[in-house]
Amino acid sequence: MSYVDEVMESVRRKYAAEPEFLQAVSEVLESLRAVVEANEEKYRKYGILERIVEPERIITFRVPWTDDNGKVQVNRGYRIEFNSAIGPYKGGLRFHPTVNQGILKFLGFEQTFKNSLTGLPIGGGKGGSDFDPKGKSDREVMAFCQSFMTELYRHIGPDTDVPAGDMGVGGREIGYLYGQYKRITGRYEGVLTGKGLTYGGSLARTEATGFGLVYIVEEMLKHVGEKLEGKRVVVSGSGNVAIYAVKKAQELGAKVVTMSDSNGYIVDENGIDLDVIKDIKEVKRGRIKEYADRVPGSVYHEGSKGVWGVKCDIALPCATQNEIDLESARKLVENGCRTVAEGANMPSTLEAAACFLENKLNYMPAKAANAGGVAVSALEMSQNSERLSWSFEQVDGMLKDIMINIYAMTSEAAKKYGHEGDFVVGANIAGFEKVAEAMIAQGVC
Ligand code: NDP
Ligand code: 2IT
């Protein structure tokens, strides 16, 4: 049996109850076949595949907090310290009712390769809780964040593990978490990224994931002789990633016609009015449905999956995992969509991704396409270390260079191993090789 199949079988046996983790591992291991076969003896000798699929450490804890009615609530908190071969654990915290260990393991596993692709010295980690910030008061969110950090603080540090935001964790939550870390430890240091600009945050971090996504789309289009200008774009989600993807796509002359949330989606044939979206989502924390009441000519549809049936040239899934299934992927292809770039983590099922590749779309998978967020997080760490703040233009320029470099590494690795144009293979191999080399150099640990 091949080394890849052996390890895949063992992971399937051990972690049958973690479908998202199995999906992520299966995608990565499948696409590493060529590089593993070429180096089988070395990788086997050092147990690279067995070690790379196993988190270095999983921390789980109870998070008790008191709601506005004085009732005690309890959630589960997690931090998965997945791989520290190339730098301190780095990755976001997700607060969402669907959070469980398997989902965070898939995210931490993906993060390891993504962080490697940025070219910056950051290892892979992820964490979060099944806490649902939706409908909670600011005080409740603060109480939760303070309790969460009261457990987490002992495991993290600017040179060991540096969390950031993800779904349900934005500027507000990072602020409360940072305040509690500082209060407990008495240290003012770069232990979290995505901080506010008044207390050590980096300019352009808020925009970074969405902007980076569009920069890599621009680069991908450039290589097939096309431009974003005039393209019709479908975006899902209406959170941090979606909002800044829409902003940059519009700045570069594309027409974005949809956005969504977990209840439904809106279509605006005149192009999304982002000021209205930002007011609904960032200021009022409301629902996307309200857009249709406020913007004449736009239409709201119940159910978020329908967004993939809207005709487009480019699709940017920016909501959540497995939001595009095979049926949705086929619909996109039938309707003439030629480019898919993933703002969300693992938004396409394995079957959907295969459909994009079979139909020769320009398909950029998440770990390459959305790496801009964590890349600017690493730049935030650099600024914190040197106690300086760089300008927006400087950070944005570095972000753009990083995304162009990720495109180059991804397409070169795909070509080198006989899969030209397959950016899934390219991103996985390019991300893997650096981590594997570092693990070998550091011995069995
Ligand atoms: P936010 O919490 O800011 O926004 C998430 C958005 O997705 C919301 O609009 C939410 O709607 C929507 N959504 C959630 N679940 C579903 C669903 N089942 N169907 C349709 N829409 C849904 O999160 P982010 O924008 O930060 O994250 C979005 C994705 O991008 C995630 O996969 C995350 O892991 C990934 N990512 C984030 C990065 C970052 O820097 N923030 C970096 C790289 C990747 P609702 O309000 O209804 O929940
Ligand atoms: O999935 C991701 O890359 C993130 N949520 C961002 C992580 C980070 O540390 O900025």
Side-chain angles (χ1 to χ4, degrees), residues 6-290:
E6 247 175 56
V7 175
M8 195 60 234
E9 201 180 285
S10 140
V11 173
R12 274 209 190 95
R13 223 179 17 245
K14 274 202 245 177
Y15 301 117
E18 297 177 347
E20 292 85 1
F21 178 60
L22 291 184
Q23 182 182 340
V25 172
S26 159
E27 187 227 80
V28 170
L29 291 190
E30 276 305 320
S31 55
L32 292 180
R33 277 187 196 280
V35 70
V36 170
E37 273 163 25
N39 300 278
E40 176 144 353
E41 204 187 317
K42 180 172 70 171
Y43 290 152
R44 265 190 194 272
K45 179 174 170 205
Y46 291 101
I48 289 298
L49 295 186
E50 294 88 335
R51 283 196 284 152
I52 217 163
V53 298
E54 196 60 47
E56 289 177 19
R57 195 172 297 105
I58 296 181
I59 298 148
T60 81
F61 46 92
R62 178 174 68 187
V63 190
W65 56 282
T66 307
D67 70 18
D68 285 347
N69 299 318
K71 185 173 182 309
V72 173
Q73 302 282 347
V74 179
N75 289 96
R76 194 86 215 140
Y78 303 86
R79 186 69 182 166
I80 316 264
E81 298 186 330
F82 218 106
N83 192 301
S84 63
I86 64 168
Y89 309 106
K90 181 83 198 86
L93 297 172
R94 176 177 291 191
F95 293 169
H96 196 272
T98 56
V99 160
N100 59 42
Q101 190 163 299
I103 287 182
L104 295 180
K105 274 177 68 183
F106 117 63
L107 289 162
F109 181 71
E110 286 280 296
Q111 197 81 44
T112 302
F113 303 96
K114 178 196 306 192
N115 293 5
S116 168
L117 282 173
T118 66
L120 300 166
I122 39 179
K126 202 85 190 191
S129 174
D130 57 1
F131 173 72
D132 186 0
K134 233 176 265 163
K136 303 289 191 299
S137 68
D138 277 354
R139 195 211 60 81
E140 288 176 322
V141 171
M142 182 171 74
F144 174 81
C145 288
Q146 290 179 338
S147 180
F148 185 86
M149 186 52 87
T150 300
E151 274 302 317
L152 187 67
Y153 86 93
R154 69 190 78 244
H155 304 289
I156 62 176
D159 298 311
T160 50
D161 185 353
V162 185
D166 192 80
M167 288 170 76
V169 178
R172 173 181 62 170
E173 292 73 20
I174 293 290
Y176 295 147
L177 292 164
Y178 191 75
Q180 186 71 356
Y181 178 85
K182 189 183 57 154
R183 191 174 188 205
I184 296 173
T185 64
R187 288 199 294 271
Y188 206 105
E189 56 193 12
V191 69
L192 295 170
T193 60
K195 300 186 291 301
L197 297 175
T198 52
Y199 63 95
S202 173
L203 284 160
R205 174 62 188 89
T206 307
E207 292 84 354
T209 313
F211 277 24
L213 173 68
V214 175
Y215 291 149
I216 207 165
V217 167
E218 217 190 353
E219 189 62 15
M220 197 162 46
L221 291 179
K222 200 175 94 186
H223 282 79
V224 292
E226 290 187 35
K227 279 188 174 156
L228 255 170
E229 200 177 342
K231 292 282 191 296
R232 196 176 147 91
V233 182
V234 156
V235 172
S236 67
S238 47
N240 172 265
V241 179
I243 286 176
Y244 293 96
V246 171
K247 183 166 186 218
K248 186 49 75 179
Q250 289 179 338
E251 273 174 28
L252 295 175
K255 189 184 203 185
V256 183
V257 290
T258 67
M259 290 186 86
S260 67
D261 62 20
S262 54
N263 293 113
Y265 67 100
I266 45 148
V267 181
D268 187 345
E269 289 295 341
N270 297 317
I272 296 290
D273 183 336
L274 204 54
D275 289 336
V276 176
I277 292 283
K278 287 177 85 167
D279 184 59
I280 295 169
K281 285 292 173 179
E282 292 183 342
V283 181
K284 304 203 171 75
R285 296 181 189 273
R287 308 305 300 158
I288 198 92
K289 187 179 197 291
E290 294 160 34

